[in-house]
Amino acid sequence: MNKPKMTTEKGVPSNSRVLMLLGQLERMGGASMGTETELPRQLTAKILHLIQTQEKTQEEVMAKGSTGMEVILASLENARDLQTTLNILYILRELLTVGGGPRVAVFVSKGGTSILLKLLISASKESPPSEELLLQLHSLLAKVGPKDGKFGVKARLTGALNVTVNLLKQNLLNSKLVLPCLQVLKVYSCNSVNAISLGKAGAVELMFKIVGPYNKKNTSLLKVALDTLGSLLKSKTNARRAVDRGHVSALLAAYKDWHRKDTHNRYMLIRKGLLASLRSITNIKVGRKAFIEANGMRVLYNTSTVPQNDDIETDLSKLRPREIHSRPFEELKAYERFFLELSEDFQGYDFDCTKTTSLTQSASTKSATKSPRPITVPADQVPPSPRITRHPPSVSPSCRPATAPSALLPPSAAVAATTTAPSLLLPLELANIHLTIEAKEDQVPSGPASRPLSRGTGLEQELVHVIERLALEADGTLNGGQGRVDGGDSPGNSTRLIHSESLEEEGPLLEVPDTTLLLPLHDPKLYVEMVKGSISVPQYSEVAYPDYFGHVAPDSLQEPLLERVYGVQRAKIFQDIDRLIHPNDILDKVVYDLDIPSCPVVADDGESLKFNSQFESGNLRKAIQVRKYEYDLLLNSDINSNHYHQWFYFEVSGMRVDAEYRFNIINCEKSNSQFNYGEDICYYKNHFSRSSIATGGQKGKSYYTLTFSMGFSHKDDVCYFAYHYPYTYSTLKMHLSKLEDLRTPQIYLRQDVLCETLSGNSCPLLTITAMPETAANDHICQFRNRPVIFLSSRVHPGETNASWVMKGTLEFLMNSSFLAQSLREAYIFKIVPMLNPDGVINGSLRCSLSGEDLNRQWQNPNPQLHPTIYHTKSLLQYLAHIQRVPLVFCDYHGHSRKKNVFMYGCSVKETVWQSGTSCDLHEDLGYRTLPKILSQIAPAFSLASCSFVVECSKESTARVVVWREIGVQRSYTMESTLCGCDQGKYKGLQIGTKELEEMGAQFCLALLRLKNLTFPQGMRNLLESDLMETRSKFTSSPTTYVMEDDEPSFQEEVDYSNDEDVDPENEPVLLDQLSDCETNQKKV
């Protein structure tokens, strides 16, 4: 080989050490390399050391214009010393491993492939051959072979094919050497001529010695062997050779074994390689014959059916709905009092009266009259001195991170106040407190006028401070100054400004939401009264701002679902690791701890945030300041349980304006969450785990961290963070009380107390329908025989979105519109709006006070431990006994790991199909009608996400038990996302309370569409036009539709790792077509 002249690229220093060493190696020439051993060995060892330790030396050798590669290859070709040769091969391995494709291309262009092949031939002739040398040569050949288009020809002409095959035969038990040999054989066999030559040399038989039954050892070796075998069998000659030697049955047996034992699908590539080999064999006629004779069709059929889901119910006797009368009717007759509408004759009732109260028993009023206890109205700290120094207003109606998904929400009004000598506000007895607001001249005061306040008593003096901070006192003496309320002239004005005469120049003190204008069904005073009757385990004595003022959904456009910035989660995880590496930088200061009941807020020097969760539905157990602006937060588990850490709702105050705070909730339990969707919010597994004591001696599951950052706009603000928009039990009671004001003479509304919970809180039961037109027999008969719709909600306390959907349903039912009246005339609604009041009050995620998931107790509920489930099921059993099975049962839920709104239903046929069982079944498809209607009128609803599969793990849920035991065909769980939508009108947008309430109203419209087929033709046409008009208002783009004979492509347990968009069908089902479908079902 001609001696290359060492050159360097312009810009590379000529005094580079590696280039100097290469120059010395170059000057030795071929003759010196053949005679001297020590100097070449030393030079190559030094070059190798530099390349391994200094990255820039590799760039200098491979730089454009450098002849470093040529010198290395020339030295390799002329070297006669084994160690020198190995050093050069190590150098080449380092250069080609880091550089990738471009460097390999340079190596091939310099003739490196031929040099390696020649060296392989000469090394194989030595006695004994060097195993290390052969290993390094094959490793390099496997790396450069795919980049050399003539590699196969070069290997065949040099005789390297037989060398590799013979080496493989002699070292089958040496996995370290077998792997690179297999990789080289795989490249060899890509050439069809080489494949035939290798087959003659026995390569096919060698592959079958490596391929075998299921074994977790050397799976990477097996994968390469199968790839090589697949390349060899593409030759018909080799495929015929495999058939002749009976390898078809061996392949089938291996595939069957891997399929059966690879239960977690971790070795799919190995199973795929076995199938590829079988496919190559069946490309020839004798191969297909051998495949059939080996029973290959049955093997593939049995292993290629729908994957078995062990959780899917396959027992047809359990799947078929059947009425189970587990309780005698004499016992169920006690529930007749909850169905007075079925026996009411309305004799003596004045149908022209404006309002009647004889039909209503207010559960909420009863709850509010329990013994009062001290309740603290939302307020900041107050000084003992009557003089208060006020600063300009600091208001944050929604202290919400723009980067967070809608599940991370603090919908709050915030108050900023600076005092000279702060001290804790003592709880007040609110039984005798009347908060008044100055009414406009054209408005009637909403409550009785309060007495003039005097500064003579301590209670009244404290009341002055409370009213001043809440900005609810409109007139009177406040610490010696006069206060007034300024309301806008426009009826749409949504705020009230509170001024102080003595500080007029400083502007308004506080801006608070005008709940009278924005929330007609919210009353702060009434809410406080309801809180007094709500019984909690910690005996909460405070009220949170969001619950007191009420949540006002923004009128502006919805917030988009933001994409995460690349690398943000990696950066946050590295910050956590940095805390472990540098513990001296960590403050580790506890600033809030519920384990200190007397004073959970730890006193500090004003450098830390203040936390609080001691209010209804609050959940925060501990706050630890780890850095100046970073806090680790710990959540409480559900009461009487040691897990279910996910729901949070807490208050933060005392913040600074010019700082960004990071909050880490470090003991979340769910393995995935929609919190992973957002620009600056992350959810990932951390290094904490549950103790073995809590898990019964087993290794505890890992916890997950929810981390987000928040900057605040106002100093010493008050902000609330929650898992989702809060909806408390007291809010429900207030809402039900306010619904009374919406009742007209045409509305039949009755509120009963179904039962009391373990804490003694009442569980309300609503009955809503339309009053009969008259007391005539035909009108009374029509009234009593209306189908029953049974709705329930909030069995899981953390799914607050279910309550917002229920709120929309209730307000629609109490509406005075024609559609609402038509719906009331069509059905009798039985509604349990909150199945788990205790869990809601105490800030639980999933359980009641018994520490059990109530939605897993429907099969055998205990009247003492699960009273709400026991009595709700008894209501349904009573209806079944009197032959009044509900037309629809729907339990409202929330979903934290999936987008959109969707339904779970029950179907024998679809469950059997998903289980892979072949059975000839005929089933009424009416269970699909309601979801299909919703997909047409509700933009947030996704039919593609619905499932009608019955799983064993869900057999004790409300949906399955009501379907199986009560016999309700249309028994559903309706799940609403905690995040946003990925289809329809709201695609790419977050879902707020406004959209959730809209979903509740649209559910009512779907029920109306389900029933209107039984109306007279004239009424039906009028109703149809109203429905179409409503539909056009709700949605501007079609969602996804599935025809009735479509089979579902999903199971109830959904993979949440990748939420992909679903394209709508090209031709959506029209309402008229749906009517025909429903008519056909009724005929069947």
Side-chain angles (χ1 to χ4, degrees), residues 899-901 935 938-943 945 980-988 1037-1040 1061-1063:
K899 294 182 174 66
N900 309 314
V901 181
S935 70
F941 192 87
S942 172
L943 188 58
S945 299
C981 292
D982 59 9
Q983 55 88 47
K985 174 184 176 182
Y986 298 141
K987 180 178 180 180
S1037 61
T1039 55
T1040 306
D1061 295 339
V1062 181
D1063 294 328

Side-chain angles (χ1 to χ4, degrees), residues 3 6 19-29 32 71:
K3 177 180 177 182
M6 188 65 194
L19 295 182
M20 292 173 60
L21 293 172
L22 286 173
Q24 293 181 35
L25 193 62
E26 177 188 15
R27 288 190 292 273
M28 291 185 63
S32 300
V71 173

Side-chain angles (χ1 to χ4, degrees), residues 691-967:
S691 66
S692 58
I693 299 176
T695 56
Q698 300 177 353
K699 182 180 179 181
K701 293 183 178 180
S702 297
Y703 285 113
Y704 292 79
T705 293
L706 167 63
T707 179
F708 57 92
S709 299
M710 167 68 78
F712 300 95
S713 303
H714 307 284
K715 182 181 179 182
D716 295 327
D717 210 341
V718 179
C719 186
Y720 288 78
F721 294 92
Y723 187 69
H724 195 261
Y725 300 96
Y727 191 100
T728 65
Y729 173 65
S730 298
T731 300
L732 172 68
K733 293 192 296 180
M734 177 199 65
H735 186 220
L736 296 183
S737 179
K738 297 292 286 185
L739 284 178
E740 291 283 347
D741 300 334
L742 300 180
R743 190 160 58 86
T744 65
Q746 291 76 34
I747 299 177
Y748 181 101
L749 169 65
R750 190 176 72 252
Q751 295 188 36
D752 297 300
V753 176
L754 177 62
C755 62
E756 287 195 348
T757 64
L758 296 180
S759 285
N761 293 296
S762 61
C763 178
L765 169 67
L766 303 182
T767 303
I768 303 177
T769 187
M771 291 289 293
E773 294 184 17
T774 65
N777 288 336
D778 54 344
H779 290 156
I780 297 298
C781 182
Q782 189 275 339
F783 173 83
R784 294 178 180 177
N785 289 286
R786 293 169 185 169
V788 175
I789 303 293
F790 204 107
L791 306 178
S792 62
S793 179
R794 206 64 184 282
V795 69
H796 294 147
E799 297 170 3
T800 58
N801 49 352
S803 284
W804 290 103
V805 176
M806 178 59 74
K807 181 175 183 287
T809 296
L810 291 175
E811 291 184 6
F812 183 92
L813 288 175
M814 295 300 296
N815 198 291
S816 59
S817 67
F818 171 74
L819 289 176
Q821 178 63 19
S822 300
L823 184 63
R824 291 190 295 267
E825 292 174 353
Y827 300 111
I828 296 174
F829 285 87
K830 287 291 183 179
I831 302 175
V832 185
M834 190 170 287
L835 282 167
N836 193 350
D838 289 347
V840 172
I841 294 172
N842 292 285
S844 297
L845 172 74
R846 201 168 181 86
C847 300
S848 67
L849 290 192
S850 66
E852 297 171 289
D853 184 346
L854 292 182
N855 202 36
R856 295 296 185 275
Q857 311 302 324
W858 278 79
Q859 276 188 321
N860 297 293
N862 186 292
Q864 283 75 40
L865 295 178
H866 325 116
T868 59
I869 304 301
Y870 178 83
H871 293 291
T872 302
K873 184 178 181 180
S874 298
L875 293 177
L876 292 162
Q877 290 174 326
Y878 175 80
L879 288 173
H881 269 285
I882 64 173
Q883 305 299 316
R884 295 294 300 273
V885 174
L887 178 69
V888 173
F889 172 86
C890 190
D891 191 18
Y892 291 1
H893 282 253
H895 209 293
S896 67
R897 296 184 293 179
K898 198 176 180 185
K899 294 182 174 66
N900 309 314
V901 181
F902 53 95
M903 276 182 164
Y904 291 141
C906 301
S907 166
V908 177
K909 181 178 179 181
E910 297 190 21
T911 302
V912 171
W913 182 85
Q914 288 284 4
S915 67
T917 306
S918 177
C919 185
D920 186 16
L921 292 173
H922 298 281
E923 185 179 35
D924 183 0
L925 298 179
Y927 62 88
R928 276 185 170 267
T929 307
L930 187 59
K932 191 177 299 183
I933 298 173
L934 281 170
S935 70
Q936 295 180 345
I937 66 176
F941 192 87
S942 172
L943 188 58
S945 299
C946 296
S947 175
F948 305 94
V949 175
V950 179
E951 298 182 350
C952 297
S953 61
K954 307 294 173 56
E955 65 180 2
S956 58
T957 61
R959 164 178 61 96
V960 177
V961 171
V962 172
W963 170 72
R964 181 182 294 167
E965 297 184 14
I966 308 301

Side-chain angles (χ1 to χ4, degrees), residues 319-377:
L319 282 175
R320 296 188 184 279
R322 62 189 187 281
E323 293 187 16
I324 300 177
H325 302 296
S326 57
R327 300 177 61 187
F329 184 64
E330 291 73 16
E331 184 178 336
L332 291 174
K333 287 189 68 176
Y335 295 91
E336 186 177 6
R337 62 189 178 91
F338 295 110
F339 297 93
L340 299 179
E341 66 278 2
L342 301 182
S343 58
E344 179 69 55
D345 57 8
F346 295 97
Q347 298 301 320
Y349 178 79
D350 184 6
F351 286 91
D352 297 326
C353 65
T354 58
K355 184 87 68 171
T356 179
T357 58
S358 61
L359 299 175
T360 302
Q361 301 174 8
S362 178
S364 57
T365 303
K366 177 181 177 180
S367 300
T369 58
K370 297 183 180 180
S371 58
R373 65 176 186 275
I375 302 293
T376 301
V377 178

Side-chain angles (χ1 to χ4, degrees), residues 246-254 278 290 294:
H247 293 313
V248 175
S249 58
L251 283 174
L252 286 170
L278 286 169

Side-chain angles (χ1 to χ4, degrees), residues 221-351:
L221 186 71
L222 181 57
K223 170 63 175 62
V224 178
L226 286 171
D227 291 342
T228 306
L229 180 60
S231 298
L232 290 171
L233 292 178
K234 289 180 180 178
S235 167
K236 293 184 178 180
T237 302
N238 290 335
R240 190 175 295 108
R241 184 177 285 109
V243 173
D244 294 341
R245 285 163 175 74
H247 293 313
V248 175
S249 58
L251 283 174
L252 286 170
Y255 174 73
K256 186 176 180 180
D257 189 60
W258 278 92
H259 180 84
R260 186 179 73 255
K261 296 181 179 179
D262 183 23
T263 55
H264 296 288
N265 298 324
R266 294 174 179 171
Y267 307 109
M268 292 296 294
L269 293 178
I270 293 178
R271 290 152 65 180
K272 184 179 178 181
L274 290 167
L275 289 175
S277 299
L278 286 169
R279 183 181 60 185
S280 298
I281 290 176
T282 54
N283 284 334
I284 61 176
K285 185 176 181 179
V286 293
R288 291 191 290 271
K289 182 179 179 182
F291 177 79
I292 293 174
E293 291 176 352
N295 210 16
M297 294 295 291
R298 181 173 294 277
V299 171
L300 294 188
Y301 176 80
N302 291 336
T303 57
S304 62
T305 53
V306 177
Q308 293 288 332
N309 183 345
D310 295 336
D311 194 30
I312 294 181
E313 182 62 74
T314 57
D315 189 347
L316 288 178
S317 62
K318 294 183 178 180
L319 282 175
R320 296 188 184 279
R322 62 189 187 281
E323 293 187 16
I324 300 177
H325 302 296
S326 57
R327 300 177 61 187
F329 184 64
E330 291 73 16
E331 184 178 336
L332 291 174
K333 287 189 68 176
Y335 295 91
E336 186 177 6
R337 62 189 178 91
F338 295 110
F339 297 93
L340 299 179
E341 66 278 2
L342 301 182
S343 58
E344 179 69 55
D345 57 8
F346 295 97
Q347 298 301 320
Y349 178 79
D350 184 6
F351 286 91

Side-chain angles (χ1 to χ4, degrees), residues 504-516:
E504 187 77 24
E505 297 179 357
E506 296 188 16
L509 290 177
L510 177 63
E511 183 178 341
V512 297
D514 190 339
T515 54
T516 303

